[in-house]
Amino acid sequence: MPEAMVIQPDTEIGAAMTAAAETRRLIFYAGLPGVGKSLFLQQQTLMAARAGRVVHLLQWDIARAAFETEAILAKYPEVGGFTHPIIRKAAGLWARRAVRQWNQAFSDPGHLLIGEVPIVGNRFVELLQQHDDPVEPLLGGEGAMFFVPVPSGEVRAKIEAKRQASIANPKHANESRDAPLNVLEQIWQDARTTAAILGLVPEAQAAAGTGYDPLTYERLFAHMLQHRNCRILHVDTLYPASGSVYELAVPTHELAAPPAEISAIMTELENSHSLAALSQAVADWHRV
């Protein structure tokens, strides 16, 4: 395997990832920006290749970017570096349908879909929600595994520092799309506030500090994934990745919405909901 393999299969985390690569149909990494999801997705891809699987990818930044056409952004622009709520909702609806279409098109068990689910702020949260549709048994069944990397405070700080360095001096085109520090901080505050609203941590605790707290993070994501097979990965080591975590070193197939499907989804949303109703639905992303 390539030198980029840094999570070894003889470790607890590596063993769980290796088993998933060999037995699951869908593997998702859920979590906030800046917790190492991209590295875990890279490593999972390498393990899947070792297991002889054909890897397909579903990544938030790439999927969302397909919806950010000049025409759509003119109507629904970013605000303070944040994707417009309508685009977030549209990308999520597409993703759920895309998983179903992928499962039908690549029914051979040798094919594996690996993805990321940021969740907070309605970023692919639709993949966690229970709906009465044909893809729910797949997303909620034994064939799917949702991993949540939870770094220690020390590891999280080091990841953030590396992220800032890679944004300033990107080694891969995808690194320029990484959320900047101000967006990371706001998303974390949204997560902390939401955990308190849901009663997962005391409100006083949520109000007392602004820094990353592994326990609050873990409780929130475990709650959000209550309808899915979920495993928390406690990360107390900064893995010595060389190069960019976006360098996968093995062939993959990326899922992205074609223009006709993007247009259809945007029209569907605009015709079925008011802008206010859609914005409220996105604000209620934590309701699962």
Side-chain angles (χ1 to χ4, degrees):
M1 288 302 293
E3 292 81 10
M5 181 68 77
V6 298
I7 302 179
Q8 300 304 325
D10 59 352
T11 63
E12 182 178 355
I13 289 177
M17 294 172 65
T18 299
E22 295 172 349
T23 62
R24 304 286 180 168
R25 177 76 168 148
L26 311 173
I27 303 172
F28 290 103
Y29 283 88
L32 298 169
V35 297
K37 292 194 310 299
S38 296
L39 172 65
F40 278 93
L41 187 143
Q42 177 207 59
Q43 296 294 293
Q44 189 69 77
T45 299
L46 296 176
M47 293 174 184
R50 172 182 286 178
R53 308 293 294 275
V54 178
V55 178
H56 304 251
L57 298 177
L58 177 59
Q59 301 182 81
W60 166 253
D61 285 338
I62 294 173
R64 181 210 70 219
F67 284 80
E68 294 178 330
T69 65
E70 184 176 347
I72 292 175
L73 286 175
K75 196 170 185 180
Y76 304 114
E78 283 190 357
V79 178
F82 288 87
T83 303
H84 195 284
I86 306 311
I87 295 177
R88 281 181 258 162
K89 174 56 70 175
L93 290 178
W94 166 79
R96 191 172 178 104
R97 297 172 187 179
V99 171
R100 178 189 177 188
Q101 293 167 359
W102 172 85
N103 188 52
Q104 293 172 331
F106 300 97
S107 57
D108 187 287
H111 291 266
L112 169 66
L113 179 62
I114 303 175
E116 60 156 339
V117 189
I119 300 180
V120 174
N122 208 114
R123 295 168 174 85
F124 279 176
V125 73
E126 289 80 5
L127 297 177
L128 316 183
Q129 297 167 339
Q130 288 185 308
H131 292 283
D132 184 16
D133 63 11
V135 78
E136 180 60 31
L138 178 65
L139 291 168
E142 287 299 317
M145 171 57 73
F146 288 73
F147 287 119
V148 183
V150 178
S152 66
E154 180 181 358
V155 171
R156 160 83 171 189
K158 292 178 179 178
I159 292 173
E160 285 189 355
K162 291 186 67 173
R163 186 189 189 93
Q164 287 302 103
S166 67
I167 291 174
N169 185 25
K171 298 177 181 178
H172 190 282
N174 288 355
E175 290 178 356
S176 62
R177 299 192 187 104
D178 284 342
L181 188 57
N182 70 301
V183 174
L184 260 65
E185 290 175 346
Q186 183 58 59
I187 291 174
W188 166 243
Q189 292 310 314
D190 290 347
R192 178 186 285 273
T193 301
T194 301
I197 291 172
L198 293 170
L200 304 174
V201 296
E203 289 189 19
Q205 176 181 326
T210 58
Y212 167 76
D213 174 46
L215 182 58
T216 299
Y217 168 46
E218 178 178 338
R219 287 180 175 175
L220 175 61
F221 276 78
H223 172 83
M224 294 300 299
L225 287 157
Q226 62 185 282
H227 303 305
R228 300 291 182 253
N229 291 317
C230 168
R231 176 161 180 170
I232 305 296
L233 304 177
H234 294 107
V235 183
D236 57 11
T237 298
L238 183 67
Y239 294 105
S242 59
S244 171
V245 293
Y246 295 107
E247 295 289 349
L248 299 180
V250 297
T252 60
H253 308 272
E254 190 79 45
L255 273 65
E261 196 164 353
I262 291 171
S263 178
I265 289 176
M266 295 300 295
T267 300
E268 175 188 337
L269 284 174
E270 292 171 338
N271 290 341
S272 60
H273 299 82
S274 67
L275 180 59
L278 284 169
S279 296
Q280 187 59 52
V282 170
D284 291 337
W285 59 267
H286 56 278
R287 301 186 184 279
V288 295

